[in-house]
Amino acid sequence: MADFRTHLMLCAGTGCVSNKSLEVKEALELEIEKQNLQNEVEVVSTGCQGFCAQGPIIVVKPDNIFYQLLNVEDIPYLVEEHFLKGRQVEKFMYNPPDSKEKIPTLDEIGFFKKQQLIALANRGLIDPEKIDEYIGRGGYKAAIKALTQMSSEEVIEEVLQSGLRGRGGAGFPTGLKWKFAAGSPGDEKYVICNADEGDPGAFMDRSIVESDPHAVIEGMMIGAKAIGAARGFVYVRDEYPLAVERMIKAIKDAREYGLLGEDIFDSGFDFDLKVNRGAGAFICGEETSLIASLEGNMPEPRVRPPFPAVSGYNGKPTNINNVESWATIRHIINNGAEWFSSIGTEKSKGTKVFSLVGKVNNTGLVEVPMGVSVREIIEDIGGGVLNGKKFKAVQTGGPSGGCIPESLMDTPVDYESLAKVGSIVGSGGMIVMDEDNCMVEVARYFLAFTQQESCGKCPPCREGTRHMMNILTDITKGKGKPGDIDMLLEMAMLVKDTSLCALGQTAPNPILTTIKYFRDEYEAHINEKRCPAKECKELIHFDILEEKCTGCTVCARNCPVTAITGERKALHVIDQDTCVKCGICKNVCKFDAVRIES
Amino acid sequence: MINLTINGNAEEFDENSTLLEASRKLGIKIPTLCNNEFLKPYGGCRLCLVEVATDRAPENSRLLPSCCTPVSKGLIVKTDTERVKKARIFILQLLLARTTDSQELIQLGKELGALVEEGALDPVGEYLANRTEKTADTKCILCGLCVRVCSEITERHAISFYKRGMEKEVRIPFNKVAETCIGCGSCAYVCPTNTITIEEVS
Ligand SMILES: Cc1cc2nc3c(=O)[nH]c(=O)nc-3n(C[C@H](O)[C@H](O)[C@H](O)COP(=O)(O)O)c2cc1C
Ligand code: SF4
Ligand code: SF4
Ligand code: SF4
Ligand code: SF4
Ligand code: FES
Ligand code: FES
């Protein structure tokens, strides 16, 4: 990369690509040629840079100038101004929601400032399809060290001492898991990377595989050496074609460089990897069903013990870790356990990647040290709630997690603290909700997901989640009965206690936490047939305020079912029997005359 | 041999046995629906749940399926606590809310206290008994015995599960009599709800 004066790090992650970043790239290259800058300026396609809401994104190196929301039409101007005339273009810089000042460089943007990158260390810095760029940034150094200078025991000890806990959901200590797999008798062992990621709103793992596949491979090489495995699988969610493609290419390149295959680095150690596409269901991410699916069987969880470390793929000792866990390993080997364990809290070490979505200004991927508060993530990194609305709650840990209300926003984000308030770190989903979100509806939404994704093997999960969803649906429709809250709580506890796998055991969490923190909303639905957030359609109606309506007729003309009548310049009225509660009138009225009542 | 305590009795058991086998040896009755001694344990129906702790942390107990939990040293097993009874009643009530056509389930429901006269039900039982529509139109409770007997014993693989969650069902491939079916009747024999019938086809 040294010959060029400037590098344009253009995001070619899934989010930016869907916002036409590849077209922007083409336009950039064309324009650079046109201005005869092709020997000075190089465009590099990177993986997701995390700030997907602002895509397409480019970062200009070496100065780290951050340009966002680019269109193909903007490119000639941008190239001429910045790269020919050397003038930075303010127009394309980032504007924080609550400020008039544009921010020129990446390092000064709140979204990036509080982040600390370990699993995402190469974010925006390399082309994920070029193994040389990964190696150029210190890649495969840790693998060489582990394979040629360390014993298996030393590798395991380092990971154990680092305090790393699994990033896939359960938070089990990674070093301990490796120790079990290493100690299991058998000369045929396997390692697996779990990239099945199926939580709604989560894309941490997809992003890592797409933007830094070699980091995952390197982690798996080290893990394989530690437990004595010669083969591994990367199990990628079927809906992630780009991740599959990048991983296949990365494995092929690593093989060509002799990093995978036989007698790697003349160490006598053999290791090779294969990519498998997921079978297309959330439950395939559960480790025992994932293994069943790899074996060609129906993806159904089975009772543990035996754990995969004793009896996994084809009944052989198998170590399965999450993408982010694997991508973190090389840094622990390179920098040492002590360095890693100096980050985070007493029992939750290192950093964690979260995907921040929902009603928040800066949606995207964030990696923060364990122990930062929910508030810091949402306010400082996320830039606060969208449209100046009031924060209500954040759901962490996806459908298995719980929601955290405003009063607990200072809770540190680590395994113990989140468990204490009834939620989990989980795989790292964070869905922000504002005052317009009905918390009964939130619980219903997650139960609708889990009941659909239940594998159906055990009755509490298969039947119980369906009943709980039905009860919640009734409540949102004003058909709840007194006593339903306590009945739901009882059923939730029974489902947790009797389900076979963690899907059923955690499915009631959204119900338990929404009742714990928002019981008054449930009561309003049941006792007063009222939805305080004004979201549940059956419990609201639209009204036009006499003192605000100017009789402009816009609402009447836009109503799809002609439910609104009124003369020009006179009060308009909604016929409640015809109205289908679509909300269009409220959106089109310029005088804020349409109100939702509940 | 392995030493553990079941319902207060410390006994020795063969190390390859399960908690279900160990309990039965002591004459303790544990209901089961998806278990068959000739098939691999499945752990699906959850009826055989027992409360298990270890002597290192006796207050920290969990419900585990006795049919697939191997005996191990120092376990404290309770087969008859309130928690266990409530769990079993809940499971049966869920199954009865699925189908009431199975005499076998009704019988079991009566034995375990899941089917009681009006007024004696707790709110969850009341909801499941009276406030929901039946969730399935078959007697099948998806215990998987038929699927497993056909693959593990007869090795015909003529029937399998299809779909997931509430849509899950037992099917023969492509919904017609599989060429691999030898009409042995094993599946009908193991079915706890008498869902499967064997017919002559010409
Ligand atoms: C329903 C369900 C879905 C899961 N999905 C995933 C997943 O998509 N990715 C993942 O890494 N772990 C998932 N897990 C957790 C895995 O079973 C397993 O704990 C994890 O892969 C272990 O890796 P770790 O120790 O590095 O976290 C899921 C668990 C359950 C119960
Ligand atoms: S808890 Fe749900 S997903 Fe897990 S085995 Fe039971 S039915 Fe399947
Ligand atoms: S909410 Fe929709 S249907 Fe109802 S009056 Fe307004 S525009 Fe018409
Ligand atoms: S009768 Fe047919 S389907 Fe049933 S167990 Fe025998 S071979 Fe399998
Ligand atoms: S048909 Fe009978 S044996 Fe087969 S799964 Fe259903 S209940 Fe079990
Ligand atoms: S895809 Fe470009 S920033 Fe995420
Ligand atoms: S008999 Fe043990 S779970 Fe069904």
Side-chain angles (χ1 to χ4, degrees):
Chain A
M1 298 188 15
D3 304 348
F4 296 94
R5 164 170 66 95
T6 299
H7 290 95
L8 296 186
M9 313 309 282
L10 173 131
C11 180
T14 298
C16 287
V17 167
S18 70
N19 285 323
K20 300 207 160 33
S21 76
L22 295 182
E23 286 84 339
V24 167
K25 181 180 187 198
E26 209 173 299
L28 272 169
E29 281 168 342
L30 207 78
E31 202 57 31
I32 288 167
E33 284 260 348
K34 214 154 133 194
Q35 304 286 4
N36 205 20
L37 293 167
Q38 65 275 22
N39 296 325
E40 292 172 53
V41 181
E42 188 193 29
V43 184
V44 179
S45 307
T46 75
C48 172
Q49 307 201 9
F51 209 5
C52 312
Q54 308 303 119
I57 278 171
I58 58 174
V59 176
V60 184
K61 299 272 170 191
D63 302 328
N64 267 356
I65 307 297
F66 182 83
Y67 291 130
Q68 45 135 36
L69 296 170
L70 295 169
N71 286 311
V72 171
E73 304 82 71
D74 301 331
I75 300 309
Y77 178 69
L78 176 72
V79 170
E80 184 177 331
E81 281 297 297
H82 190 142
F83 304 111
L84 199 66
K85 299 183 180 159
R87 290 196 290 241
Q88 296 173 7
V89 188
E90 208 184 291
K91 191 165 122 189
F92 306 126
M93 287 173 184
Y94 173 68
N95 203 112
D98 50 358
S99 135
K100 287 203 189 71
E101 300 251 334
K102 300 251 183 181
I103 301 182
T105 71
L106 180 101
D107 321 279
E108 293 164 282
I109 295 175
F111 178 78
F112 294 102
K113 231 175 8 189
K114 282 214 168 173
Q115 296 197 44
Q116 182 177 358
L117 306 185
I118 295 178
L120 303 178
N122 281 333
R123 173 160 93 185
L125 299 175
I126 60 166
D127 180 337
E129 297 196 4
K130 300 203 171 124
I131 187 170
D132 288 334
E133 294 193 10
Y134 178 74
I135 293 171
R137 289 192 41 85
Y140 289 110
K141 244 172 50 191
I144 297 177
K145 185 171 166 189
L147 263 52
T148 61
Q149 297 161 31
M150 293 171 84
S151 68
S152 296
E153 293 72 27
E154 283 168 337
V155 173
I156 292 172
E157 195 55 26
E158 203 69 37
V159 176
L160 203 57
Q161 290 305 323
S162 76
L164 173 66
R165 294 167 64 173
R167 301 305 195 219
F172 191 82
T174 306
L176 204 54
K177 193 143 86 174
W178 290 16
K179 203 170 170 169
F180 290 147
S184 281
D187 42 15
E188 188 183 331
K189 297 184 184 180
Y190 295 91
V191 287
I192 297 174
C193 171
N194 188 343
D196 197 52
E197 195 172 54
D199 308 28
F203 57 105
M204 300 79 50
D205 297 343
R206 181 186 78 194
S207 177
I208 293 174
V209 175
E210 285 179 4
S211 60
D212 206 3
H214 290 285
V216 176
I217 298 176
E218 185 171 3
M220 293 183 81
M221 288 169 70
I222 297 166
K225 150 89 185 196
I227 74 156
R231 278 181 62 200
F233 303 95
V234 185
Y235 187 92
V236 187
R237 182 176 175 186
D238 194 43
E239 289 92 333
Y240 287 175
L242 184 62
V244 171
E245 197 183 297
R246 294 237 162 108
M247 187 48 88
I248 289 174
K249 168 144 189 8
I251 290 171
K252 187 169 155 271
D253 291 347
R255 248 183 234 138
E256 268 165 27
Y257 275 52
L259 294 161
L260 290 175
E262 282 169 19
D263 195 17
I264 304 166
F265 311 133
D266 304 318
S267 62
F269 175 69
D270 306 336
F271 182 59
D272 211 346
L273 272 175
K274 182 169 173 278
V275 175
N276 285 74
R277 299 182 77 123
F282 180 56
I283 197 59
C284 298
E286 193 280 336
E287 57 187 29
T288 60
S289 10
L290 187 154
I291 290 169
S293 158
L294 276 180
E295 293 165 344
N297 296 321
M298 176 112 182
E300 260 182 7
R302 61 159 179 76
V303 175
R304 301 170 306 178
F307 286 89
V310 174
S311 174
Y313 180 69
N314 284 341
K316 308 289 181 202
T318 301
N319 181 72
I320 175 163
N321 276 119
N322 165 262
V323 171
E324 191 183 332
S325 312
W326 286 123
T328 304
I329 293 297
R330 66 186 186 108
H331 300 282
I332 294 172
I333 299 300
N334 277 330
N335 304 326
E338 210 169 302
W339 160 80
F340 190 79
S341 65
S342 71
I343 304 162
T345 64
E346 195 200 330
K347 287 186 172 160
S348 303
K349 299 300 186 189
T351 55
K352 173 81 192 88
V353 182
F354 291 94
S355 79
L356 190 58
V357 298
K359 307 266 185 71
V360 60
N361 277 306
N362 304 334
T363 54
L365 270 198
V366 306
E367 182 170 5
V368 288
M370 289 279 190
V372 304
S373 70
V374 173
R375 186 184 301 282
E376 283 172 277
I377 295 182
I378 291 168
E379 291 180 357
D380 302 344
I381 298 175
V385 177
L386 215 51
N387 299 324
K389 294 264 183 180
K390 208 168 154 311
F391 173 84
K392 188 178 215 170
V394 58
Q395 173 87 13
T396 66
S400 317
C403 69
I404 300 168
E406 144 114 87
S407 59
L408 294 172
M409 260 184 115
D410 292 309
T411 306
V413 175
D414 61 56
Y415 294 106
E416 283 70 32
S417 308
L418 290 193
K420 216 186 281 167
V421 300
S423 189
I424 56 169
V425 171
S427 56
M430 269 197 187
I431 306 177
V432 178
M433 288 163 285
D434 70 6
E435 53 190 303
D436 296 338
N437 286 104
C438 166
M439 300 312 284
V440 186
E441 170 57 23
V442 166
R444 193 206 59 80
Y445 168 84
F446 285 115
L447 263 292
F449 178 82
T450 37
Q451 66 90 24
Q452 192 184 352
E453 295 299 331
S454 161
C455 83
K457 179 169 177 174
C458 69
C461 170
R462 178 185 71 228
E463 316 270 333
T465 55
R466 170 68 64 97
H467 289 300
M468 292 192 290
M469 176 190 73
N470 287 345
I471 297 167
L472 290 165
T473 307
D474 277 353
I475 297 177
T476 59
K477 290 188 169 166
K479 291 193 253 169
K481 294 214 168 84
D484 276 1
I485 301 179
D486 291 328
M487 193 239 315
L488 255 182
L489 286 174
E490 178 72 19
M491 203 184 282
M493 293 314 294
L494 284 164
V495 169
K496 264 179 110 67
D497 212 20
T498 57
S499 289
L500 191 162
C501 83
L503 191 147
Q505 288 159 5
T506 60
N509 287 348
I511 303 181
L512 294 173
T513 51
T514 49
I515 294 182
K516 184 167 175 196
Y517 300 119
F518 300 95
R519 195 176 176 118
D520 53 333
E521 282 195 40
Y522 279 81
E523 283 166 351
H525 283 78
I526 295 171
N527 302 332
E528 301 161 40
K529 310 296 171 207
R530 194 169 62 78
C531 173
K534 299 180 180 169
E535 192 185 0
C536 295
K537 272 201 171 177
E538 264 87 347
L539 302 181
I540 57 169
H541 65 270
F542 287 76
D543 261 337
I544 298 178
L545 295 182
E546 187 166 1
E547 63 274 22
K548 290 207 169 174
C549 176
T550 62
C552 74
T553 75
V554 165
C555 58
R557 279 184 279 131
N558 282 284
C559 175
V561 292
T562 49
I564 307 179
T565 49
E567 296 295 317
R568 174 167 278 280
K569 296 199 178 155
L571 172 66
H572 279 51
V573 178
I574 298 175
D575 174 23
Q576 299 299 338
D577 293 334
T578 318
C579 172
V580 293
K581 299 171 185 175
C582 68
I584 290 178
C585 53
K586 185 172 189 299
N587 291 336
V588 296
C589 178
K590 289 197 185 68
F591 306 98
D592 197 23
V594 184
R595 278 295 142 90
I596 309 177
E597 308 287 346
S598 180
Chain B
M1 296 300 269
I2 305 273
N3 258 311
L4 62 136
T5 314
I6 302 184
N7 293 351
N9 305 312
E11 297 273 347
E12 286 200 327
F13 300 97
D14 180 44
E15 58 188 300
N16 292 319
S17 55
T18 62
L19 293 183
L20 179 66
E21 289 159 345
S23 304
R24 287 190 170 161
K25 220 165 174 180
L26 298 182
I28 297 167
K29 263 184 97 170
I30 294 178
T32 63
L33 274 171
C34 70
N35 190 62
N36 180 299
E37 58 182 316
F38 299 107
L39 299 176
K40 285 188 207 135
Y42 187 59
C45 78
R46 317 304 285 166
L47 205 59
C48 70
L49 290 174
V50 293
E51 202 171 333
V52 182
T54 63
D55 51 10
R56 275 164 293 153
E59 64 296 334
N60 208 350
S61 64
R62 293 172 56 197
L63 292 183
L64 293 176
S66 56
C67 67
C68 348
T69 308
V71 295
S72 87
K73 194 170 160 293
L75 287 189
I76 304 171
V77 182
K78 292 177 183 158
T79 67
D80 217 14
T81 60
E82 277 312 305
R83 185 172 168 198
V84 168
K85 283 188 209 157
K86 254 176 103 169
R88 290 190 191 144
I89 288 175
F90 178 56
I91 302 296
L92 259 174
Q93 286 174 338
L94 287 171
L95 294 177
L96 289 165
R98 185 178 160 83
T99 166
T100 30
D101 293 343
S102 158
Q103 285 312 313
E104 295 78 5
L105 282 185
I106 291 173
Q107 187 54 36
L108 202 53
K110 285 182 183 155
E111 277 167 35
L112 297 180
L115 256 181
V116 289
E117 69 278 15
E118 289 282 331
L121 286 166
D122 67 359
V124 171
E126 161 68 24
Y127 178 89
L128 293 174
N130 298 320
R131 274 178 64 192
T132 76
E133 287 172 15
K134 295 288 165 253
T135 55
D137 52 12
T138 153
K139 288 195 284 183
C140 173
I141 54 162
L142 302 170
C143 72
L145 280 171
C146 54
V147 176
R148 284 178 288 138
V149 79
C150 191
S151 75
E152 288 174 33
I153 305 290
T154 59
E155 295 185 357
R156 306 308 297 170
H157 304 276
I159 34 183
S160 54
F161 280 132
Y162 178 72
K163 294 201 174 168
R164 64 170 185 263
M166 235 25 170
E167 271 73 56
K168 193 170 191 163
E169 57 186 19
V170 172
R171 272 210 187 170
I172 42 184
F174 312 110
N175 241 358
K176 53 181 192 213
V177 178
E179 279 163 16
T180 47
C181 173
I182 49 170
C184 69
S186 303
C187 52
Y189 178 76
V190 294
C191 178
T193 57
N194 266 323
T195 306
I196 302 177
T197 49
I198 302 282
E199 284 168 28
E200 289 282 337
V201 281
S202 43

